[in-house]
Amino acid sequence: MENRDIIKGVIFDLDGVIVHTDEFHYLAWKQLADKIGVYFDRTINERLRGVSRMASLDIILERSDAAFSDTEKQLLADEKNDTYRELLKTLTPADVSADVKSTLAALRQNGLKLAIGSSSKNARFILNQIGLENYFDAISDGNNISKSKPDPEVFLKAAEYLCLKSEQCIVVEDAEAGIQAAKNGGFTAAGIGGASKYNLTDISLNLLSDLLKYV
């Protein structure tokens, strides 16, 4: 990457990058879908990756014959979140891989600023559970944005909190919607997991530590 010298910060999506809570999301949505009699499986669940809670609910309700008011939809979303948060209570620092821990430490040692850029409104709760609540220089999450990915707002806010421009930051994402958001905001987009093969991804990572080759 030719612009490695201008990179001053790294913004990480949380779920699927720093820690894996995908299964918790699936189980919580599945429980809700079963309760209201809507078909839901892991294939549909893939469409929810990187998408906000309400947008995820709208995707699930595509298969429903019933019409739900905004108030009813909010209650359903809240119920899913309550289930999800109960599952999150089982997270511990042991759920953060050695690769993630060593990579974060190396980035900080190299003088880079680190931020979280997550659509989740539970980001701080998750960070607290895994012992990283005070590790990042900034946190931009679902509580301070009005637009979900692929809108770049969450990453632009994170860069703003770091006092950096988008071209000075790499965004690390595991979802295509997140990569799209990064590119829409003028960031260098690093993809891990499913996003590593996405055609808009600038940097493909097999492990998070591969990022150290570019900064």
Side-chain angles (χ1 to χ4, degrees), residues 24-74:
F24 295 162
H25 277 297
Y26 171 74
L27 292 172
W29 281 125
K30 178 64 173 170
Q31 180 174 311
L32 180 71
D34 288 348
K35 179 179 177 179
I36 62 176
V38 175
Y39 180 78
F40 182 69
D41 61 18
R42 293 184 183 275
T43 300
I44 299 170
N45 189 60
E46 284 298 306
R47 294 176 58 197
L48 312 186
R49 294 171 65 84
V51 178
S52 71
R53 190 183 309 160
M54 295 307 296
S56 294
L57 178 61
D58 285 337
I59 290 172
I60 291 169
L61 294 180
E62 286 173 359
R63 289 175 173 264
S64 174
D65 293 328
F68 294 88
S69 67
D70 289 345
T71 299
E72 289 171 327
K73 288 165 70 172
Q74 186 62 58

